[in-house]
Structure formats: C-alpha cells, structure tokens
Amino acid sequence: MNNPTPEQEAHATLAHHEFVEVANRLIIEGMDDRVVLAGISAAAADLIATRFSKQAAAPWFVKQAILVNREFGGAG
C-alpha cells in the first residue's frame, strides 16, 4: 500500500498481530502445518469480513489462490 493513512497503517498492524497470534497459538498447541495454515486463513477471512463484508472474503481467497498458483505452481 502506497502512502497509507494512519488509520490504514494501524489496521494493518492489528491484522499482522492477529495473524502472528493465531499462528503462534496453534504452533504452541502442537498443531500440524495444515491446521496452522487453516487458522491463518480463518483469521484472514474474519478480518476481510469485518473490514469489508462477508461477500468480499470468497473473491479475495480466489484471487489469492490464483496468485499463489502463478507464483509457486500447483495443480489446477
């Protein structure tokens, strides 16, 4: 994000802390990588739904899946 407003920057910082907290908690609880990734995905979906709308979450994940597939390859 270029030149974020103080509000956007604060929101991004809170989101970052939430993702780290979720990941750390699941790792400390001994969860495997799939569960950790699912937890981070759930946190992202919750953040998107709260910040924008529930309808915004699915298209965002579709876009991210396309970008990840392009970057790292994969089936489909």
Side-chain angles (χ1 to χ4, degrees), residues 15-52:
H16 171 81
H17 289 292
E18 180 180 346
F19 291 138
V20 171
E21 181 182 325
V22 167
N24 285 340
R25 186 178 22 180
L26 293 170
I27 291 166
I28 289 169
E29 291 175 3
M31 301 297 168
D32 68 33
D33 290 345
R34 291 180 309 178
V35 174
V36 174
L37 291 173
I40 293 169
S41 295
D46 185 50
L47 176 65
I48 293 164
T50 301
R51 178 73 174 164
F52 302 103

